[in-house]
Amino acid sequence: MSSSGFKFTLLVPLMVACLMASSASNFHNDFDITWGNGRGKIVNNGEVLTLSLDKASGSGFQSKNEYLFGKIDMQLKLVPGNSAGTVTAYYLSSKGSTWDEIDFEFLGNLSGDPYILHTNVFSQGKGNREQQFYLWFDPTADFHTYSILWNPQRIIFSVDGTPIREFKNMESFGVPFPKNQPMRIYSSLWNADDWATRGGLVKTDWTQAPFTASYRNFNADACVWSNGASSCKSNASPSSASTNSAWFSQEMDSAKQQRLKWVQKNYMIYNYCNDAKRFPQGLPPECNMS
């Protein structure tokens, strides 16, 4: 190998590491507020983003970048007090009729009643994979970290580093997996009182408006998709991954698996895989896999 070729092989992993590592969070650099007519705001020199909802409108934002695999972290502080009827959605999604999507949705509730954390995974336009949880803390009192690990083998939803859900790649069993469509990060705060709280029985109390959710400390160790190519193109093999990209082949160790079981035993309130009435033709195939 020539000296120039040797230098290139050294440079490529360094370049990939630089492309994959996210800079210090600044919402001005990473996101655009896309709707809400001023109800979405970036404050504190770009360190905090807030979304608000009143009777006229909600608000929302999206990432400037598209990603194809990554570990995405965001700290959220949810709407406090009587948040019944409101939904704060934070998710990854592609476009088109056969889109992919990885969802966190926070369903508001009456004061003193717990939020419901609603999760879902869409692949090739098909969802119906809902799992819902209560949280083991008050998500309105302080910021907490909500994370999505998305690599070619699995998707792991985590809260403050504790995994709450894993969706594995089971393409070998005919289950589509999001792996080909780059996705943006989206978030919105909106009124969904036709269904969000107790199936729509509890309506939004507009005397409590405006409702506000806050965001900070965004981080993306991820493959950025731009002009039809991934910043991680030369890093397809996990063996060549930098320390910043350990997520690319990450799986749960035994301690994380135990935490996942703890959450699902104590805080899961709905699992589509246990809803036989909903699937009279049989449960989805991934429900029958370990």
Side-chain angles (χ1 to χ4, degrees), residues 102-104 118-121 147-149 155-159 162-167 260:
I102 305 169
D103 284 345
F104 279 114
H118 174 103
T119 67
N120 204 351
V121 176
S147 305
I148 294 169
L149 171 74
I155 295 163
I156 300 173
F157 298 76
S158 298
V159 178
T162 293
I164 64 168
R165 176 176 188 176
E166 181 180 35
F167 183 80
L260 176 69

Side-chain angles (χ1 to χ4, degrees), residues 153-263:
Q153 296 83 38
R154 59 188 44 83
I155 295 163
I156 300 173
F157 298 76
S158 298
V159 178
D160 288 338
T162 293
I164 64 168
R165 176 176 188 176
E166 181 180 35
F167 183 80
K168 293 180 179 178
N169 184 335
M170 294 186 233
E171 289 178 305
S172 59
F173 298 98
V175 180
F177 185 82
K179 67 171 190 179
N180 297 315
Q181 300 185 58
M183 298 197 256
R184 291 189 194 274
I185 302 162
Y186 296 88
S187 189
S188 57
L189 174 57
W190 50 291
N191 177 45
D193 67 3
D194 56 333
W195 64 270
T197 306
R198 294 184 60 202
L201 293 177
V202 181
K203 300 302 183 182
T204 303
D205 180 1
W206 294 112
T207 67
Q208 304 297 310
F211 304 98
T212 301
S214 301
Y215 304 73
R216 72 179 188 191
N217 289 348
F218 165 71
N219 188 69
D221 288 328
C223 301
V224 175
W225 186 267
S226 181
N227 298 319
S230 170
S231 62
C232 304
K233 188 78 172 176
S234 57
N235 198 12
S237 169
S239 63
S240 66
S242 72
T243 54
N244 287 329
S245 59
W247 57 264
F248 195 85
S249 57
Q250 186 175 330
E251 55 188 293
M252 287 190 289
D253 60 20
S254 58
K256 293 281 190 184
Q257 290 173 10
Q258 288 302 312
R259 291 294 284 171
L260 176 69
K261 289 178 182 176
W262 173 78
V263 171

Side-chain angles (χ1 to χ4, degrees), residues 1-280:
M1 180 184 294
S2 69
S3 60
S4 60
F6 178 71
K7 289 175 184 174
F8 181 75
T9 60
L10 285 175
L11 280 171
V12 166
L14 288 172
M15 289 164 58
V16 170
C18 291
L19 287 164
M20 291 177 68
S22 82
S23 59
S25 174
N26 185 307
F27 282 101
H28 288 296
N29 296 337
D30 296 321
F31 292 93
D32 293 313
I33 294 173
T34 46
W35 63 283
N37 195 25
R39 291 172 179 82
K41 297 176 181 177
I42 298 174
V43 296
N44 292 14
N45 296 315
E47 292 181 2
V48 174
L49 188 153
T50 62
L51 294 181
S52 291
L53 162 70
D54 58 34
K55 197 166 187 178
S57 177
S59 50
F61 65 86
Q62 70 180 42
S63 61
K64 294 179 186 290
N65 285 328
E66 291 182 291
Y67 304 97
L68 186 61
F69 305 126
K71 184 178 184 295
I72 310 293
D73 304 308
M74 183 83 81
Q75 290 194 325
L76 279 73
K77 183 163 69 171
L78 299 179
V79 174
N82 182 1
S83 58
T86 72
V87 173
T88 306
Y90 159 57
Y91 59 103
L92 290 162
S93 182
S94 63
K95 295 290 191 182
S97 59
T98 56
W99 77 101
D100 294 338
E101 187 171 321
I102 305 169
D103 284 345
F104 279 114
E105 288 187 303
F106 303 90
L107 313 185
N109 215 332
L110 295 167
S111 298
D113 290 341
Y115 262 82
I116 292 174
L117 172 50
H118 174 103
T119 67
N120 204 351
V121 176
F122 287 76
S123 47
Q124 298 178 18
K126 180 183 179 297
N128 299 326
R129 299 187 178 100
E130 299 89 349
Q131 290 183 359
Q132 295 183 336
F133 306 84
Y134 288 143
L135 294 165
W136 49 96
F137 53 83
D138 178 357
T140 73
D142 203 351
F143 285 90
H144 292 268
T145 303
Y146 302 90
S147 305
I148 294 169
L149 171 74
W150 170 37
N151 66 31
Q153 296 83 38
R154 59 188 44 83
I155 295 163
I156 300 173
F157 298 76
S158 298
V159 178
D160 288 338
T162 293
I164 64 168
R165 176 176 188 176
E166 181 180 35
F167 183 80
K168 293 180 179 178
N169 184 335
M170 294 186 233
E171 289 178 305
S172 59
F173 298 98
V175 180
F177 185 82
K179 67 171 190 179
N180 297 315
Q181 300 185 58
M183 298 197 256
R184 291 189 194 274
I185 302 162
Y186 296 88
S187 189
S188 57
L189 174 57
W190 50 291
N191 177 45
D193 67 3
D194 56 333
W195 64 270
T197 306
R198 294 184 60 202
L201 293 177
V202 181
K203 300 302 183 182
T204 303
D205 180 1
W206 294 112
T207 67
Q208 304 297 310
F211 304 98
T212 301
S214 301
Y215 304 73
R216 72 179 188 191
N217 289 348
F218 165 71
N219 188 69
D221 288 328
C223 301
V224 175
W225 186 267
S226 181
N227 298 319
S230 170
S231 62
C232 304
K233 188 78 172 176
S234 57
N235 198 12
S237 169
S239 63
S240 66
S242 72
T243 54
N244 287 329
S245 59
W247 57 264
F248 195 85
S249 57
Q250 186 175 330
E251 55 188 293
M252 287 190 289
D253 60 20
S254 58
K256 293 281 190 184
Q257 290 173 10
Q258 288 302 312
R259 291 294 284 171
L260 176 69
K261 289 178 182 176
W262 173 78
V263 171
Q264 296 194 339
K265 178 182 177 182
N266 294 290
Y267 295 97
M268 179 184 280
I269 58 171
Y270 178 79
N271 182 0
Y272 74 108
C273 282
N274 295 334
D275 195 349
K277 289 183 180 178
R278 184 178 170 192
F279 301 101

